[in-house]
Amino acid sequence: MIIRNSAALIPLILLFTAVSIPIVALKKKQIAFFMVMIATSLSVIISFYNIFRVLKVGTIHYHFGGWIPPIGIEYVLDPLSSFICLVINVIALLVLIHSKKIIEMESNIKSVPYYALVLLMLTGFNGIVLTGDFFNLYVFLEICSLAMYGLISVGGKQAPVAAFRYLIMGAIGGSFYLLGVGFLYIKTGSLNMADVRSIIPHLYDEPTVIVAISLMVIGFGIKMAVFPLHGWLPDAYTYAPTTSSALIAPTGTKIGAYAMLRTLFFVFGVNYVSKTLHITDILAWLSAIGIIYGSIMAIAQKGMKRMLAYSSVSQIGYIGLGIGLCNPLGLIGAVLHVMNHAIMKACLFLVAGNYRVKLGHSNIFKLNDNIRKKMPWTTAAFTVAALSMIGIPPTLGFFSKWYLALGTIKNSSWIFLAVLLISSLLNAVYFFRVLEKVYLKPMSSNDLEEPNMSKNSKADEVSSSALIPVLILSVALIILGLLNTIIVKGIIEKMIPAGM
Amino acid sequence: MNIQSCYTSFVPLYAILVSLLAVPLIIFSSKKKNLREFWTIGASLIKFGLVISLIPNALLNKTAEISIVEISPGIELALKADPFGVFFALVASGLWIFTSFYSIGYVRGLKDKKQTRYFSYFAICLSSTIGVAFAANLLTFVVFYEILTIATYPLVIHKEDEKSIRAGRKYLAYTLTAGSLLIAATALTYQITNNLDFKAGGMFKGIALTPNMALVLFLLFLGGVGVKASIMPLHSWLPTAMAAPTPVSALLHAVAVVKSGVFGIVRVALFVFGPKLMYELGLNNILVVFAGFTIIVASLMALKQDNLKRRLAYSTISHLSYIVLGTALLSSSAILGAIMHIAFHATMKITLFFCAGAIYVNLHKENISELNGVGKVMPWTMGAFAVGSIGLTGIPPVNGFVSKWYIGLGALQANNLIALIILIISGLLNAAYFFPILHRAFFRSGENLEGKKEASPFMVVPLVITAMLAVLLGIYPDFLFHFYHLAAMVVTNVLGVIS
């Protein structure tokens, strides 16, 4: 029975655990962490199982409660959704392992409600990815957004403001999306994606549909933080506690990208959105601007987390560009970059967290080579992730750049090709700036005044629960880079929608 | 007699891996210096042995092939030890042995910090250089080329002072930009040909390529590999990167890194575009112009450098363009000479850099104006320096004469008198910037040199051997390593396709 219901199992397990944590862990706080571990580990295992099953038997449709769509809610496991699900859950598991010791050090976090919120957010993420129903997607979107506001607001002093800003933007995004769904429902009379897909070709000329699609795209655009709808992102990532930013940055925006991809290509149809409405062109151009803008802003930052946040704006652009290119290679690049960016950003934010644990800050200009002597492994992981961000082979970053470059050439979009290449150089600028500091800048006497810096340069790594996830992520970047073809051929090529 | 055939062999892969595997060993024995250096020497000897073992089959035009893993649908990370690859690998791995011994003397002589990092990255650089040599297709080439870029950075900034950090930045700015162009060129080629395998005589055979497209593609490639080959105006990172320790300059900036650049140019010209297409579209003329300009201007700039290493750097820039020029002339002798110059320039220039380093460690002198009378104190070192200078000027019996002779012959074959004139002028300029150094060292008397002796044997022995090698190869170019035969093989493979 469990096997038959595996499609719906992940959100249910996560939701159930989220709700039961505050009750079970009421007396003993430590239980919360173990419950989280069990729930996320189970999600990872089921995600693996799902992906292999999908590859074996093809797309799986799961009808909730046995109700046949369009009346009932349907979950769809196809290569795209099972892949994104796997990425999210694996990253979440690693980041949460990392959180074990870190969470106790953040002063204003109560671990029990925090973990409950984390699981609620993951419920939302998985739900969005798995559902085949527009309204159900909205519900999960709101669940994860509300959880995210909470997770961000428990950070530093400015965090509540950042969270509030995100709340406003997120609520606007959600409303846009809901309005879009409403318009769509008026015309099609259905909320099921597959059902809408079969009806929509007859309504391609209807202005209502065009309005609906525009509203939905803006809604997703805010969630995805596509330029110029990214305003909420830098503050939110900067001021959120380590675990929150390491969870949200790699996965949160990808959910928006996924929803965008799903809606545009799998519901409205490739030809309609690209040739008739030119939405993909607009997306590609905005993304291209975002890529450059994000990189330049990242160069201008002093704090490492804020730099990483702006770099996220730029990296989301890669994904948007890949989608916007509207050809198979671009799509391969975009999906591979979803995975690549999830791994890199999780790794980088965790490293920033590890630095904060030891130094109390992650200000780039205050870093010096003492931190590398103290934390050689963390810094090595940072280096690998940075090289992947720049796109140096054989890391995964090189290959997502490679597919995206092939995609731009396929469309003869030379400007986008130039944008990709320039951006990787800008990435080199802001990452080598940090690498120079942590490897080459000797400790000066001013640095000694800082409370957490002792002069002895003995290795003093963070605890293994905080180190191992970072190392796994960085090694994964190299291994998955060399083996990327297995993923591309085995899974991603199967995602390419009809008509591309 | 010249049928190219292939066989599967792991040797090229082992040749890459051996120095990579040495890296953890080097790191783990960082406390025991002698053991650590043992790994470096051991790896370099094994690597050289592996490359040597590929020669007999390469001379029969049998190519060792191995594909490791598919890195993009339809493109393998594949290695192929064709005669040209073996030729370059031979140069790089052979000279690594000398550099390893020399490095030991150098870093210990200066009591450098971070010697472990130094030896580790040196080993990684050599792995990627051999990878560049054996890359069977463009994407594999790009992968190793980029790794080489990154692995060289820690060596450039080795001294960790303000000057070398700035040099490192400049180095990265140039090479990473070039890497981006190379990736663009590779992706573009893939869209056109759907196949990235290097092929002697060109990979665009039977594929319609508009002249404009070909030009854009060629310029992208030129930008991509031209930076490491330091064709002017893309050269200025190289003199700056001389802030690195001398063995790094010697091996990387005379052998591995810059030669990867020219190796790339030869690959692009003869194995991607092919001589026929190059000639038909007039692309070779672009190369001739750039190379000719670089040869003359770099020699002139070398004249006014007082810093010995900087003068050698400009001389390197000029001599790299000999190779580019020879390739661009597209005649059989010119290509033969160009390929041989890859090896011969390497032996001579590494000797000169070794000498510069020995002088620096022993006497702490960097400038030419301070070298008065050094020849009397360090006769072996300056003797070797004399051999290298004579060779680069193109005077027999040193090997520089041989390669230059063939390039000159090739210029006549190609009816390109201007190229010949450039070669002659450059020879004079070489004499003009090298011989004053010899004059100072041997015929002027210096001050404060009492009690100074030769540098440590770790340094002197390698440089004497490389100098002797340069002479031996000048008298008998096919000596031991069959450089002449291998180069001739490349020429027939490349040109045989058109005739």
Side-chain angles (χ1 to χ4, degrees), chain B residues 35-118:
Chain B
L35 182 64
R36 183 186 66 194
E37 265 70 292
F38 169 77
W39 298 123
T40 301
I41 303 283
S44 64
L45 288 172
I46 295 173
K47 190 191 270 289
F48 190 54
L50 287 168
V51 177
I52 293 247
S53 75
L54 289 168
I55 296 180
N57 276 325
L59 285 173
L60 298 170
N61 222 350
K62 283 204 248 166
T63 305
E65 275 189 336
I66 177 80
S67 66
I68 304 159
V69 62
E70 200 177 7
I71 45 171
S72 172
I75 310 172
E76 308 263 346
L77 188 70
L79 305 173
K80 190 172 163 186
D82 67 345
F84 190 36
V86 172
F87 184 95
F88 182 45
L90 202 55
V91 177
S93 62
L95 294 178
W96 186 34
I97 301 175
F98 297 115
T99 317
S100 301
F101 280 107
Y102 182 85
S103 292
I104 297 171
Y106 186 86
V107 292
R108 289 191 181 176
L110 289 177
K111 299 191 178 61
D112 265 1
K113 284 187 213 158
K114 304 197 175 161
Q115 296 183 11
T116 305
R117 179 180 79 187
Y118 174 88

Side-chain angles (χ1 to χ4, degrees), chain A residues 71-131:
Chain A
I71 296 163
I73 289 171
E74 179 190 38
Y75 273 24
V76 181
L77 264 179
D78 62 0
L80 178 60
S81 59
S82 53
F83 179 73
I84 303 282
C85 229
L86 180 68
V87 172
I88 291 170
N89 289 323
V90 171
I91 297 289
L93 177 64
L94 290 172
V95 174
L96 288 168
I97 293 174
H98 180 272
S99 76
K100 188 184 176 201
K101 288 270 161 58
I102 306 295
I103 216 89
E104 294 161 9
M105 299 175 188
E106 307 260 5
S107 52
N108 41 357
I109 292 182
K110 295 196 175 74
S111 65
V112 175
Y114 184 82
Y115 279 130
L117 275 182
V118 166
L119 288 185
L120 268 184
M121 180 179 79
L122 291 176
T123 310
F125 287 168
N126 281 288
I128 291 172
V129 176
L130 291 171
T131 190

Side-chain angles (χ1 to χ4, degrees), chain A residues 38-39 48 84 187 233 274 286 358 396 403 460 499:
Chain A
I38 290 166
F48 268 113
I84 303 282
K187 274 293 152 194
L233 186 146
S274 65
L286 289 178
K358 279 279 163 310
L396 196 48
Y403 291 112
D460 182 20

